[in-house]
Amino acid sequence: MNKKQRTIRLNLALILFSMGMALYAQDFYTAGERRHWLEKAHEYTPKLVETDMKPMNIVDIVKDQQAFQGWKAVRGSSMELFYKSPIKEQSGVVVDFGEHMTGYFTFSVAPLQTTPDAPARFKFTFGEVPAELATPFDPYPGGLSRAWLQDEIVTVMTVPDTITIPRRLAFRYVKIELIAAPNYEFTISDMKCKAVTSVSTIPESLPATVSPIIQKIDKTGLNTLKECMQTVYEDGPKRDQRLWIGDLYLESMANNYSYKQYNLTQRCLYLLAGLADENGYLNATVFERPQPHPQAKQFLFEYALLYNVTLKDYLVATGDQETVLDLWPVAKRQLDIVRQYLQKDGMMDFERVCKEWWVFFDWKSDLYKEVALQGVSIYAFAESYELAKMIGKEKEVADLPVSVKRMKQAAHKNFYDKKRGLFVGTKNKQISYASQIWMILSGVASKAEGRQALSALTSTADVCRPGTPYLYHYYIQSMVDCGMDKEAKEALVNFWGGMIEKGADTFWEAYDPDNDIISPYNFYPMNSYCHAWSCTPVYFIRKHPSIFQ
Ligand code: RAM
């Protein structure tokens, strides 16, 4: 090769490289689309409603084997007495605000007699449940940042003063420890919390004839949802305080049957669209501050698909075609996620999906997800096709009905163990709730097969059970879908009613009736005890009164 040929070759390579780069850097959506979506998201930012909340009384956090996580709060003396007495004599006291709140904590300090001449230092610990006040946080064994835990050191430089802790907190209880005491006597008083939520409507009350336990479950679900409804649907006001698609799906569904604040759903749908990856796929979670941005490349398989179902539910609830048409390009693009792994025989390429995506379904490390993955893919296709029909776009996704049929047949052929009446994977024979649930929700199982499979779960050994209320939601839905009304109500009452029996003011992120200290993060105080995906009894109770009321 002579010099000229070499130069031509090099130039060619450079041109190809830059073409490749340009292609890579190309955005699936136009700048105009993104701008519009983010502007819309901004326009629908709700105003927060602020309420000043005062503590009710002092409590003693008492060890009790029978209590949830081994600790209970026992009513103690009055706030009046606490406010009057020197704080030095009361270090370690726990104050009870009487209910779960999300907001900003303020307190005042004042001298008793002598002139204050030195600073004081406190440690405040905020807890959603009693055990958070009694379990040492250090040495910290957990998987997520220790800073999520709500203990704050506050140095008060001058007395008297009124101080607000800058961090937004989610709590019912506050422990106050004086960790550096000055020589003079002083008091703490006027504690309050400026509680915030974007909920501004009051949902219809349930008929008086509804049983007390269902009333309680509904009320606790509403509280959970209210606390999570901030300027987005947060997953939990303690942690992670942000929008996740899977949580949005369930929250918006509960909102559709209660507060009916559709603008918040709109905001979230637009925000996620505006912050989608350049390849057009949605990021599973996004942040609002300091300015809206995604958790880049956080690709969670089912969450991207559930966006479409959320959009469909939103349309059914509101009839707002304009928003849905605006966001249709995003929904349509998510379908390519399934298409790229769909094989000729109608089966999803499970191994390849797992390599390239976060496949979730539940916090359960041993869960084998092949069957559920096929199920959710079918479900997403079917629901998206319904959505397309509702906005006159079915021609754009004309492949879906054929694919759904093929995928269903393949699933039935490959996963259904006729002898046992259960669905199991091709490479791993684990029997899980998730597998049966998603074969029912996707319509792979007939109603009779679904009923048989769900019933068999309760009498089969070594079943992989749900680890969170997230999967439990789909469990209840699958029972409703195959006509197990009585069992669905029973399961709802046992599961969410179980949390209430253990003292829940709001429903929890993780719950196993037999294991109070279950945690996806290796440290149960890190769990969120007011968690979005746990609010869905509100949806079931209100959508299906004949089953649940
Ligand atoms: C946790 C959060 C959130 C959930 C994700 C998958 O970090 O609890 O609710 O959607 O997991």
Short mmCIF file of all heavy atoms in Angstrom, two decimals, residues 144 235-236 239-240 242 244-247 284 300 303 358 360 363 470 509 521 528 531-533, ligand 1:
data_model
loop_
_atom_site.label_atom_id
_atom_site.label_comp_id
_atom_site.label_asym_id
_atom_site.label_seq_id
_atom_site.Cartn_x
_atom_site.Cartn_y
_atom_site.Cartn_z
N LEU A 144 -27.17 0.13 51.64
CA LEU A 144 -27.36 1.47 51.07
C LEU A 144 -26.65 2.50 51.96
O LEU A 144 -26.27 2.20 53.08
CB LEU A 144 -28.85 1.80 51.00
CG LEU A 144 -29.72 0.85 50.19
CD1 LEU A 144 -31.15 1.33 50.19
CD2 LEU A 144 -29.21 0.71 48.76
N ASP A 235 -41.33 6.95 45.94
CA ASP A 235 -41.47 5.55 46.37
C ASP A 235 -41.63 5.48 47.88
O ASP A 235 -42.41 4.69 48.40
CB ASP A 235 -40.30 4.69 45.88
CG ASP A 235 -38.95 5.18 46.36
OD1 ASP A 235 -38.81 6.38 46.68
OD2 ASP A 235 -38.00 4.37 46.42
N GLY A 236 -40.89 6.34 48.58
CA GLY A 236 -41.04 6.42 50.03
C GLY A 236 -40.51 7.77 50.49
O GLY A 236 -39.49 8.22 49.99
N ARG A 239 -37.07 7.06 52.15
CA ARG A 239 -36.10 6.54 51.19
C ARG A 239 -36.87 5.85 50.07
O ARG A 239 -37.76 5.08 50.39
CB ARG A 239 -35.23 5.50 51.93
CG ARG A 239 -33.85 5.25 51.45
CD ARG A 239 -33.42 3.82 51.57
NE ARG A 239 -34.03 3.13 50.43
CZ ARG A 239 -34.91 2.16 50.55
NH1 ARG A 239 -35.25 1.68 51.72
NH2 ARG A 239 -35.47 1.62 49.48
N ASP A 240 -36.59 6.08 48.79
CA ASP A 240 -35.52 6.84 48.17
C ASP A 240 -35.95 8.26 47.82
O ASP A 240 -35.18 8.96 47.15
CB ASP A 240 -35.06 6.17 46.87
CG ASP A 240 -34.75 4.69 47.01
OD1 ASP A 240 -34.24 4.28 48.06
OD2 ASP A 240 -35.03 3.92 46.09
N ARG A 242 -37.91 9.35 45.60
CA ARG A 242 -37.91 9.68 44.17
C ARG A 242 -38.88 8.82 43.37
O ARG A 242 -39.47 7.88 43.89
CB ARG A 242 -36.50 9.59 43.60
CG ARG A 242 -35.84 8.23 43.72
CD ARG A 242 -34.48 8.26 43.01
NE ARG A 242 -33.66 7.11 43.30
CZ ARG A 242 -32.72 7.07 44.25
NH1 ARG A 242 -32.50 8.12 45.02
NH2 ARG A 242 -31.99 5.98 44.43
N TRP A 244 -40.02 6.21 40.83
CA TRP A 244 -39.67 4.95 40.15
C TRP A 244 -40.89 4.52 39.35
O TRP A 244 -42.02 4.62 39.86
CB TRP A 244 -39.39 3.85 41.18
CG TRP A 244 -38.10 3.91 41.91
CD1 TRP A 244 -37.84 4.63 43.04
CD2 TRP A 244 -36.89 3.18 41.61
NE1 TRP A 244 -36.55 4.40 43.46
CE2 TRP A 244 -35.95 3.51 42.60
CE3 TRP A 244 -36.52 2.27 40.61
CZ2 TRP A 244 -34.66 2.97 42.62
CZ3 TRP A 244 -35.25 1.74 40.64
CH2 TRP A 244 -34.33 2.10 41.63
N ILE A 245 -40.69 4.00 38.16
CA ILE A 245 -41.85 3.71 37.31
C ILE A 245 -42.77 2.66 37.95
O ILE A 245 -43.99 2.79 37.93
CB ILE A 245 -41.43 3.24 35.90
CG1 ILE A 245 -40.57 4.30 35.23
CG2 ILE A 245 -42.67 2.95 35.04
CD1 ILE A 245 -39.97 3.85 33.89
N GLY A 246 -42.19 1.64 38.54
CA GLY A 246 -43.01 0.57 39.13
C GLY A 246 -43.87 1.09 40.27
O GLY A 246 -45.04 0.68 40.43
N ASP A 247 -43.32 2.00 41.05
CA ASP A 247 -44.09 2.58 42.16
C ASP A 247 -45.16 3.52 41.61
O ASP A 247 -46.30 3.52 42.08
CB ASP A 247 -43.15 3.33 43.10
CG ASP A 247 -42.10 2.40 43.70
OD1 ASP A 247 -41.12 2.07 42.99
OD2 ASP A 247 -42.26 1.98 44.84
N ALA A 284 -35.50 3.76 34.81
CA ALA A 284 -36.47 3.29 35.81
C ALA A 284 -36.75 4.33 36.88
O ALA A 284 -37.81 4.32 37.50
CB ALA A 284 -35.96 2.01 36.46
N LEU A 300 -34.58 -0.95 33.92
CA LEU A 300 -35.27 -2.04 34.61
C LEU A 300 -36.38 -2.54 33.68
O LEU A 300 -37.30 -1.79 33.34
CB LEU A 300 -35.82 -1.53 35.94
CG LEU A 300 -36.24 -2.57 36.96
CD1 LEU A 300 -36.28 -1.99 38.37
CD2 LEU A 300 -37.51 -3.28 36.64
N TYR A 303 -40.23 -2.27 34.49
CA TYR A 303 -40.67 -0.91 34.78
C TYR A 303 -40.86 -0.13 33.48
O TYR A 303 -41.85 0.60 33.33
CB TYR A 303 -39.66 -0.20 35.69
CG TYR A 303 -39.80 -0.52 37.17
CD1 TYR A 303 -40.52 -1.63 37.61
CD2 TYR A 303 -39.23 0.31 38.14
CE1 TYR A 303 -40.64 -1.92 38.97
CE2 TYR A 303 -39.36 0.04 39.49
CZ TYR A 303 -40.06 -1.08 39.91
OH TYR A 303 -40.19 -1.35 41.24
N TRP A 358 -31.85 -5.02 34.16
CA TRP A 358 -32.19 -5.38 35.53
C TRP A 358 -33.61 -5.96 35.47
O TRP A 358 -34.55 -5.28 35.07
CB TRP A 358 -32.14 -4.13 36.41
CG TRP A 358 -32.57 -4.35 37.84
CD1 TRP A 358 -32.82 -5.52 38.48
CD2 TRP A 358 -32.79 -3.33 38.82
NE1 TRP A 358 -33.18 -5.31 39.79
CE2 TRP A 358 -33.17 -3.96 40.02
CE3 TRP A 358 -32.70 -1.94 38.81
CZ2 TRP A 358 -33.47 -3.26 41.19
CZ3 TRP A 358 -33.00 -1.24 39.97
CH2 TRP A 358 -33.37 -1.90 41.15
N PHE A 360 -36.49 -7.42 37.70
CA PHE A 360 -36.73 -7.25 39.14
C PHE A 360 -37.83 -8.19 39.68
O PHE A 360 -37.52 -9.19 40.31
CB PHE A 360 -37.07 -5.78 39.41
CG PHE A 360 -37.43 -5.48 40.83
CD1 PHE A 360 -36.53 -5.72 41.85
CD2 PHE A 360 -38.69 -4.97 41.15
CE1 PHE A 360 -36.86 -5.46 43.18
CE2 PHE A 360 -39.03 -4.70 42.48
CZ PHE A 360 -38.13 -4.95 43.48
N TRP A 363 -38.03 -8.14 45.58
CA TRP A 363 -36.75 -8.26 46.29
C TRP A 363 -36.65 -9.68 46.84
O TRP A 363 -37.11 -9.95 47.93
CB TRP A 363 -36.65 -7.25 47.44
CG TRP A 363 -36.31 -5.86 47.01
CD1 TRP A 363 -37.05 -4.74 47.26
CD2 TRP A 363 -35.13 -5.43 46.32
NE1 TRP A 363 -36.42 -3.63 46.74
CE2 TRP A 363 -35.24 -4.02 46.16
CE3 TRP A 363 -34.01 -6.07 45.81
CZ2 TRP A 363 -34.27 -3.26 45.51
CZ3 TRP A 363 -33.05 -5.30 45.16
CH2 TRP A 363 -33.18 -3.92 45.03
N TYR A 470 -44.96 -5.37 46.88
CA TYR A 470 -44.99 -5.12 45.43
C TYR A 470 -45.49 -6.37 44.71
O TYR A 470 -46.47 -6.33 43.98
CB TYR A 470 -43.60 -4.72 44.93
CG TYR A 470 -43.56 -4.48 43.44
CD1 TYR A 470 -44.23 -3.41 42.87
CD2 TYR A 470 -42.87 -5.35 42.59
CE1 TYR A 470 -44.22 -3.19 41.50
CE2 TYR A 470 -42.84 -5.13 41.21
CZ TYR A 470 -43.53 -4.05 40.68
OH TYR A 470 -43.52 -3.85 39.32
N GLU A 509 -42.40 -1.22 53.02
CA GLU A 509 -41.70 -1.61 51.78
C GLU A 509 -41.51 -3.11 51.68
O GLU A 509 -41.65 -3.71 50.61
CB GLU A 509 -40.33 -0.92 51.76
CG GLU A 509 -39.43 -1.34 50.62
CD GLU A 509 -38.07 -0.65 50.66
OE1 GLU A 509 -37.68 -0.18 51.75
OE2 GLU A 509 -37.41 -0.58 49.61
N TYR A 521 -31.89 -4.69 52.28
CA TYR A 521 -30.67 -3.90 52.40
C TYR A 521 -29.78 -4.34 53.57
O TYR A 521 -28.95 -3.59 54.03
CB TYR A 521 -31.03 -2.41 52.53
CG TYR A 521 -32.13 -2.04 51.57
CD1 TYR A 521 -33.42 -1.75 52.03
CD2 TYR A 521 -31.91 -2.03 50.20
CE1 TYR A 521 -34.44 -1.45 51.14
CE2 TYR A 521 -32.93 -1.74 49.29
CZ TYR A 521 -34.18 -1.45 49.78
OH TYR A 521 -35.19 -1.17 48.89
N SER A 528 -38.05 1.20 54.22
CA SER A 528 -38.99 2.31 54.25
C SER A 528 -40.30 1.78 54.82
O SER A 528 -40.81 0.75 54.38
CB SER A 528 -39.12 2.82 52.81
OG SER A 528 -40.36 3.39 52.57
N HIS A 531 -44.33 3.04 52.25
CA HIS A 531 -43.81 2.78 50.91
C HIS A 531 -44.92 2.67 49.87
O HIS A 531 -45.88 1.92 50.02
CB HIS A 531 -42.95 1.52 50.91
CG HIS A 531 -41.88 1.58 49.87
ND1 HIS A 531 -40.79 2.40 49.97
CD2 HIS A 531 -41.75 0.95 48.69
CE1 HIS A 531 -40.02 2.27 48.91
NE2 HIS A 531 -40.59 1.39 48.09
N ALA A 532 -44.70 3.42 48.78
CA ALA A 532 -45.69 3.55 47.72
C ALA A 532 -46.31 2.22 47.30
O ALA A 532 -47.53 2.08 47.26
CB ALA A 532 -45.02 4.20 46.52
N TRP A 533 -45.46 1.26 47.00
CA TRP A 533 -46.00 0.04 46.38
C TRP A 533 -46.84 -0.78 47.35
O TRP A 533 -47.39 -1.82 46.99
CB TRP A 533 -44.90 -0.76 45.71
CG TRP A 533 -43.84 -1.40 46.57
CD1 TRP A 533 -43.93 -1.78 47.87
CD2 TRP A 533 -42.52 -1.76 46.13
NE1 TRP A 533 -42.76 -2.36 48.28
CE2 TRP A 533 -41.86 -2.36 47.23
CE3 TRP A 533 -41.83 -1.64 44.92
CZ2 TRP A 533 -40.54 -2.83 47.16
CZ3 TRP A 533 -40.53 -2.12 44.86
CH2 TRP A 533 -39.89 -2.70 45.96
C1 RAM B 1 -36.12 0.20 45.77
C2 RAM B 1 -37.25 1.12 46.05
C3 RAM B 1 -38.26 1.31 44.95
C4 RAM B 1 -38.25 0.21 43.93
C5 RAM B 1 -36.89 -0.23 43.54
C6 RAM B 1 -36.85 -1.32 42.54
O1 RAM B 1 -34.94 0.92 45.69
O2 RAM B 1 -37.80 0.67 47.20
O3 RAM B 1 -39.52 1.41 45.51
O4 RAM B 1 -39.03 0.57 42.84
O5 RAM B 1 -36.26 -0.66 44.68
#
